[in-house]
Amino acid sequence: MSNKKIEQWEVERYWEIFASLANGSTHLDGAQAASVLKNSQLRDDQLERVWDLADVDSDGKLDFEEFCVAMRVIFDLVNG
């Protein structure tokens, strides 16, 4: 897994995705995030682990920072 920071261009891209899914909300629930996360082709059990890791406050939703973590972890898993 990458140990470098999330670059500004990544944050901007993740914001575009987050904003399009959140419909003005500050958080995404599992149903809102599912389509994007499943595009990774990772197994459901892997996506559940990513969600649990990214959902640092364990509220069952992802805020933007948590979403960035999830997206970066998925990117690293998919791209080795």
Side-chain angles (χ1 to χ4, degrees):
M1 190 175 314
S2 176
N3 59 7
K4 63 182 181 173
K5 69 178 187 164
I6 298 174
E7 299 294 334
Q8 184 61 36
W9 68 268
E10 291 173 290
V11 171
E12 292 168 6
R13 179 66 182 127
Y14 296 158
W15 176 252
E16 291 174 12
I17 296 167
F18 183 90
S20 73
L21 297 171
N23 298 320
S25 178
T26 59
H27 291 75
L28 295 177
D29 63 25
Q32 290 170 302
S35 62
V36 170
L37 301 182
K38 288 183 180 241
N39 280 342
S40 67
Q41 301 296 312
L42 293 176
R43 298 185 319 262
D44 286 347
D45 65 310
Q46 291 173 306
L47 291 173
E48 288 173 17
R49 285 184 180 163
V50 169
W51 185 278
D52 290 344
L53 175 70
D55 184 16
V56 295
D57 58 3
S58 299
D59 66 353
K61 299 178 277 189
L62 299 181
D63 64 19
F64 179 61
E65 289 181 357
E66 293 170 329
F67 180 74
C68 287
V69 169
M71 293 295 286
R72 180 53 177 272
V73 170
I74 288 170
F75 178 85
D76 287 348
L77 286 170
V78 169
N79 295 293

